[in-house]
Amino acid sequence: MSCDRIQSQLIDWLYGELSQPEEERVREHVAECDSCRGKGDALRRSLELLELAPRAATRVDVGQLYRQAAARSEKGRRRWRRASFAACAAVLLVGVVAFGRLRIESHAGYVVFSWGGGAAADEEAVEESVEEVPAPAAVVPPDPWPTLARHGERLATLDELAQLLVAEVDSTDRRRRLDTAGLERKLKEIERQVARQWHVLDRDVKAVYQLAQIHSVTEKKGDRP
Amino acid sequence: MHVSDHELMRRCRDGDVAAFEQLVRRWEGPVARILGRLTHSSSEVEDLCQEVFLRVLNACGRYRACGAFSTWLYRITLNVARSAARRRRWQWGSLDNHEPVAAEAAPPEALGRDELGRRVREALTSLPSKFREPLVLRHFGELTFAEIAQITGQPASTVKSRTRVALEKLRHELHRRGIDEKELEP
């Protein structure tokens, strides 16, 4: 077998991941070949040095884990609620601007909010209608119902969307509440377990103390002539 | 009686706190051993260990008992270590990438055990993560190359060759830090 192939298998050999026949082949080759033996020894020494790296001893606090999980769950719930309210507000604002009569205009560096259009806009509209219709007798007021019906449909769609969003927020909120309640239950269970263990320990200590007292009394009686 | 990891995870999902604690006690040592070699600072091992088990707790509802539990746990461990490394790079920029001061070569026996351990740790953490990770998982996590391939998403042959290169680079780094490993007694 070639040295290249053996050297590619050295790492498997050192970690014992070769099959029995392959392991024997590598061992036989390494015993005879100085180059492969040198490389194998170098790898083995590096592995032995790795063992000298200091060990980190740690103990995970399980109670703290449950507290952190509850805190994260609550934080996620708050974030989701804020985002939902912001989305609802944005949808309502867009609805009001698009379908309502709120106007936002800029005049001489000021932003002007007006409801139902300004007087200037009304005058312009009247002038335009006068220009378009030459004879006063032929002026026919436009039928407002189709436009209103269209706006009404759009508002109804928006209303449905907002309701769906609110329902989604509610269900997520409910789920998060259930998660939090579950974690709280687990915390209480931990507390109960600790209290139980403390009670058992306390009882054992008292029993040992009583035994020690009995033992000392017996010894004193035995010492008497 | 020995309860399997899958069984303990199932109980955790049902809200059994004692089962989760048993699982934590069983695996906190191996996880800390790996994190200790993957991270630069030993002081952050405890926090990262806590983070690993917090992720386990949050994910126990989604856990599926397919494959070894250790593979799943070590994948979380690796992700936590990588996130910590990214945070550190973000906070410290290029300050971490300083070149080690060349020390005079000395046989390992001439150095104290603590000092030797410190230099080995430094040499190990100075390796690029793509080489360090398979070596640490193989050596300290005691996973097979096939399992490491599953965790890292690399072919097993790549994992193997990277482990070999990691050992060669480690030897080079140790030499730069003044450890003449040829003098080490077998």
Side-chain angles (χ1 to χ4, degrees):
Chain A
M1 198 180 278
S2 72
C3 286
D4 283 347
R5 182 158 168 71
I6 292 291
Q7 283 171 16
S8 72
Q9 287 185 319
L10 282 175
I11 192 80
D12 303 85
W13 180 53
L14 289 171
Y15 279 118
E17 284 203 26
L18 288 179
S19 63
Q20 189 69 24
E22 279 178 326
E23 195 184 333
E24 280 174 18
R25 268 202 296 276
V26 171
R27 195 185 301 124
E28 282 169 12
H29 181 94
V30 164
E32 292 167 1
C33 175
D34 289 342
S35 165
C36 292
R37 189 169 52 249
K39 294 209 170 176
D41 286 346
L43 286 178
R44 185 182 290 115
R45 275 194 229 104
S46 300
L47 288 177
E48 283 164 359
L49 275 176
L50 267 182
E51 290 297 326
L52 296 173
R55 286 166 186 254
T58 184
R59 188 169 173 84
V60 174
D61 185 348
V62 176
Q64 174 74 9
L65 277 180
Y66 276 101
R67 278 193 294 276
Q68 281 177 324
R72 275 194 192 182
S73 169
E74 176 63 23
K75 200 174 165 185
R77 197 158 63 91
R78 273 205 302 267
R79 194 181 301 144
W80 174 249
R81 198 186 298 161
R82 271 201 300 270
S84 308
F85 281 136
C88 284
V91 166
L92 283 176
L93 186 63
V94 167
V96 166
V97 171
F99 305 111
R101 301 188 68 197
L102 179 68
R103 285 173 184 244
I104 304 172
E105 294 166 353
S106 171
H107 286 300
Y110 293 97
V111 178
V112 178
F113 293 90
S114 57
W115 186 260
D122 290 343
E123 283 168 14
E124 280 171 15
V126 170
E127 280 169 16
E128 279 172 11
S129 65
V130 168
E131 280 169 13
E132 283 171 7
V133 183
V139 173
V140 179
D143 186 5
W145 292 112
T147 317
L148 284 175
R150 214 166 41 242
H151 286 183
E153 281 171 12
R154 287 177 182 171
L155 280 173
T157 313
L158 270 177
D159 187 42
E160 278 175 20
L161 280 173
Q163 279 179 6
L164 282 173
L165 203 56
V166 167
E168 178 63 28
V169 171
D170 282 349
S171 76
T172 312
D173 191 36
R174 214 174 302 120
R175 259 198 321 271
R176 300 278 183 189
R177 272 178 203 279
L178 283 174
D179 287 350
T180 313
L183 287 168
E184 278 172 359
R185 268 201 309 279
K186 286 172 187 171
L187 268 177
K188 279 179 185 164
E189 176 63 24
I190 291 177
E191 280 174 10
R192 271 200 298 277
Q193 281 179 4
V194 169
R196 218 177 298 134
Q197 283 169 3
W198 174 253
H199 178 70
V200 170
L201 186 68
D202 190 41
R203 198 184 55 204
D204 291 349
V205 168
K206 279 178 184 165
V208 169
Y209 182 67
Q210 282 174 355
L211 273 174
Q213 275 187 330
I214 291 166
H215 184 65
S216 67
V217 168
T218 318
E219 272 187 346
K220 277 179 191 169
K221 279 181 183 172
D223 290 344
R224 284 179 194 163
Chain B
M1 195 184 80
H2 182 82
V3 185
S4 74
D5 297 320
H6 293 315
E7 175 60 21
L8 287 176
M9 280 302 281
R10 194 191 61 72
R11 290 188 198 168
C12 290
R13 201 174 48 217
D14 297 341
D16 187 343
V17 178
F20 182 65
E21 180 155 17
Q22 195 178 343
L23 197 72
V24 168
R25 296 292 162 251
R26 187 180 290 176
W27 285 100
E28 64 187 353
V31 168
R33 204 159 53 230
I34 286 182
L35 285 172
R37 272 74 177 197
L38 284 178
T39 57
H40 288 251
S41 158
S42 55
S43 60
E44 63 181 347
V45 170
E46 196 166 339
D47 290 341
L48 295 182
C49 214
Q50 194 85 6
E51 175 67 22
V52 167
F53 286 103
L54 183 59
R55 289 193 189 187
V56 170
L57 180 62
N58 285 334
C60 68
R62 301 189 298 273
Y63 177 74
R64 298 282 170 272
C66 49
F69 172 77
S70 59
T71 312
W72 183 73
L73 179 66
Y74 286 150
R75 189 179 295 133
I76 293 177
T77 307
L78 198 59
N79 288 339
V80 166
R82 283 176 179 172
S83 303
R86 269 197 298 275
R87 270 201 307 275
R88 199 173 36 250
R89 262 202 303 277
W90 178 251
Q91 284 169 355
W92 294 99
S94 59
L95 288 178
D96 262 357
N97 301 327
H98 63 275
E99 286 293 308
V101 179
E104 195 178 333
E109 293 78 16
L111 299 166
R113 194 177 170 79
D114 289 349
E115 175 61 18
L116 191 59
R118 194 182 62 77
R119 291 194 193 181
V120 170
R121 183 198 165 87
E122 274 181 9
L124 184 61
T125 51
S126 73
L127 298 181
S129 57
K130 70 175 180 178
F131 296 117
R132 186 172 72 241
E133 285 171 3
L135 176 62
V136 169
L137 288 172
R138 180 66 193 85
H139 196 79
F140 298 103
E142 295 174 359
L143 296 170
T144 63
F145 289 120
E147 286 171 331
I148 298 170
Q150 209 183 330
I151 289 175
T152 56
Q154 304 282 343
S157 55
T158 307
V159 171
K160 229 178 278 184
S161 67
R162 283 185 178 175
T163 308
R164 197 179 62 242
V165 172
L167 280 171
E168 287 164 6
K169 282 181 178 290
L170 180 72
R171 200 164 62 243
H172 177 67
E173 286 295 329
L174 287 172
H175 187 68
R176 285 176 68 182
R177 283 168 172 77
I179 297 176
D180 186 3
E181 50 97 23
K182 282 180 186 164
E183 299 291 329
L184 185 73
E185 286 297 322

